[in-house]
């Protein structure tokens, strides 16, 4: 079922950032580096390895610069870092990050709670990051992941027109890519399809990744809807790492293993070696003993005759 041509979809592994940031325990740096090595060996071409935030706020990310520098040894992997603001962007670029991603919330309520800024004020922060990027590292793409694009636990429904208006402001600011995130797992396939199609109409090729959560079991269905709407980059997390401590069960990101199986079984190439991807669970388990990992494929095994 593997395809020798260039992969048709990009699986962007966010476990080392989104996943580790969401669990209480802090993975030792050595284990983190081994895990990233295993993910790179599996053929993942983009890995979000760290978040550049103050260590006192997120001790899990205190080693961000060291992790980025280690990950840069892997050729063929784009090393991505999340930065919430200008200061974080400066630190990430100094460390050598090859892509920056900024979260901008479509929900004003979530934006105030998360970054103490309105969505409009975050657009100004993004402009400042773009200016810094132009000075420090002109070739580094800056992506915005629009969080709460499909609904918000604080304000409830997020009007699609609000999402699109914000996308246009970000496109005008000069962002390289704008993805949509189902931060709260409230999205459904019809909504995902409709909103991404409207995004393509509004901002065309700047439309970026689908960052989906499996909170209500709709992660893969939403991923398929996004694919059929034209999306070709998908964020996911090995073992579904990165749940919310207040929503027990598989509440985290879409499971990378299951997403890869879905696409490969459909004949859509990902460039990922599933056997090596499964093997990458071992360093994750070693670094976070006792942390629950999810995934239907790892439990069931690969189908008989899988190539």
């Amino acid at each position: 079922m593997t395809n020798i041509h260039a992969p048709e979809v990009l699986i962007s592994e966010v476990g080392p950032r989104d996943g580790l940031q969401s669990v209480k325990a802090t993975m030792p740096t050595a284990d983190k580096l081994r895990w990233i090595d295993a993910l790179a060996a599996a053929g993942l071409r983009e890995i979000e390895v760290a978040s550049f935030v103050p260590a006192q706020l997120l001790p899990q990310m205190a080693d961000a610069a060291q992790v980025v520098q280690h990950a840069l040894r892997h050729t063929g992997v784009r090393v991505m870092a999340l930065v919430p603001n200008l200061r974080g962007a400066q630190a990430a670029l100094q460390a050598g990050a090859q892509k920056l991603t900024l979260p901008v919330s479509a929900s004003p309520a979530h934006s105030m709670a998360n970054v103490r800024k309105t969505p409009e004020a975050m657009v100004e922060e993004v402009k400042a990051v773009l200016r810094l990027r132009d000075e420090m590292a002109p070739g580094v793409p800056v992506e915005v992941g629009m969080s709460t694009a499909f609904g918000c636990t604080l304000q409830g429904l997020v009007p699609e027109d609000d999402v699109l208006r914000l996308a246009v402001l970000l496109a005008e600011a000069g962002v390289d890519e704008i993805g949509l995130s189902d931060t709260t797992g409230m999205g459904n396939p019809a909504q995902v399809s409709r909103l991404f199609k409207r995004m393509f109409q509004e901002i065309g090729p700047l439309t970026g990744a689908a960052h989906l959560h499996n909170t209500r079991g709709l992660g893969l269905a939403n991923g398929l809807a996004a694919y059929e709407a034209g999306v070709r980059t998908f964020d996911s997390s090995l073992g579904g790492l990165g749940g919310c401590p207040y929503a027990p069960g598989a509440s985290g990101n879409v499971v990378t293993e299951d997403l890869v199986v879905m696409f490969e079984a459909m004949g859509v190439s990902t460039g990922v070696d599933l056997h090596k991807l499964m093997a990458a669970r071992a360093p994750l388990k070693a670094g976070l003993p006792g942390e629950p990992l999810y995934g239907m494929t790892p439990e069931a095994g690969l189908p008989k005759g899988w190539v």
Side-chain angles (χ1 to χ4, degrees), residues 10-12 14 143 145 150 177-182 192 196 207-213 219 222-227 230-236 253-254 259 263:
L10 175 66
I11 306 295
S12 183
V14 300
E143 166 198 81
F150 300 96
E177 242 179 82
I178 303 162
L180 298 180
S181 302
D182 189 13
V192 168
F196 269 112
T207 305
H211 179 104
L212 303 166
H213 282 223
N222 288 339
L224 182 58
Y227 175 78
V231 176
R232 292 297 177 265
T233 302
F234 297 85
D235 292 357
S236 61
N253 295 287
V254 169
L259 187 67
F263 280 129

Side-chain angles (χ1 to χ4, degrees), residues 243-259:
C244 165
Y246 307 108
S251 61
N253 295 287
V254 169
V255 176
T256 304
E257 300 92 315
D258 291 342
L259 187 67

Side-chain angles (χ1 to χ4, degrees), residues 50 53 57 84 115 157-158 175 178 186 201 222 255 279 282 284 291:
V53 288
L57 289 180
V115 289
L157 296 176
V158 175
V175 170
I178 303 162
M186 289 166 73
Q201 283 169 356
N222 288 339
V255 176
L284 170 54
E291 185 65 38

Side-chain angles (χ1 to χ4, degrees), residues 59-176:
Q60 296 96 320
M61 295 290 137
D63 55 3
Q66 188 185 343
V67 171
V68 165
Q69 280 153 8
H70 177 88
L72 288 169
R73 296 178 189 180
H74 296 285
T75 54
V77 175
R78 184 152 61 175
V79 177
M80 184 159 75
L82 181 119
V83 300
N85 52 31
L86 189 61
R87 190 182 299 169
Q90 189 161 14
L93 290 170
Q94 277 165 348
Q98 295 167 323
K99 183 176 180 179
L100 302 184
T101 180
L102 282 98
V104 176
S105 187
S107 150
H110 181 264
S111 194
M112 291 306 294
N114 200 29
V115 289
R116 298 202 269 293
K117 286 189 171 107
T118 63
E120 292 73 22
M122 272 306 289
V123 173
E124 294 309 308
E125 191 77 18
V126 169
K127 286 178 182 172
V129 169
L130 289 166
R131 286 193 293 272
L132 179 77
R133 182 273 315 266
D134 292 345
E135 287 166 31
M136 285 182 71
V140 170
V142 173
E143 166 198 81
V144 165
M146 235 194 291
S147 44
T148 63
F150 300 96
C152 173
T153 42
L154 297 170
Q155 82 172 40
L157 296 176
V158 175
E160 289 180 17
D161 288 351
D162 289 4
V163 176
L164 292 161
R165 197 176 309 120
L166 190 55
V168 168
L169 287 176
L170 289 162
E172 287 168 353
V175 170
D176 297 288

Side-chain angles (χ1 to χ4, degrees), residues 20 25-34 60 63 67 286-289:
L20 294 183
T26 298
M27 187 189 265
T29 304
D31 288 305
K32 214 184 267 194
L33 302 183
R34 270 195 292 274
Q60 296 96 320
D63 55 3
V67 171
L288 286 176

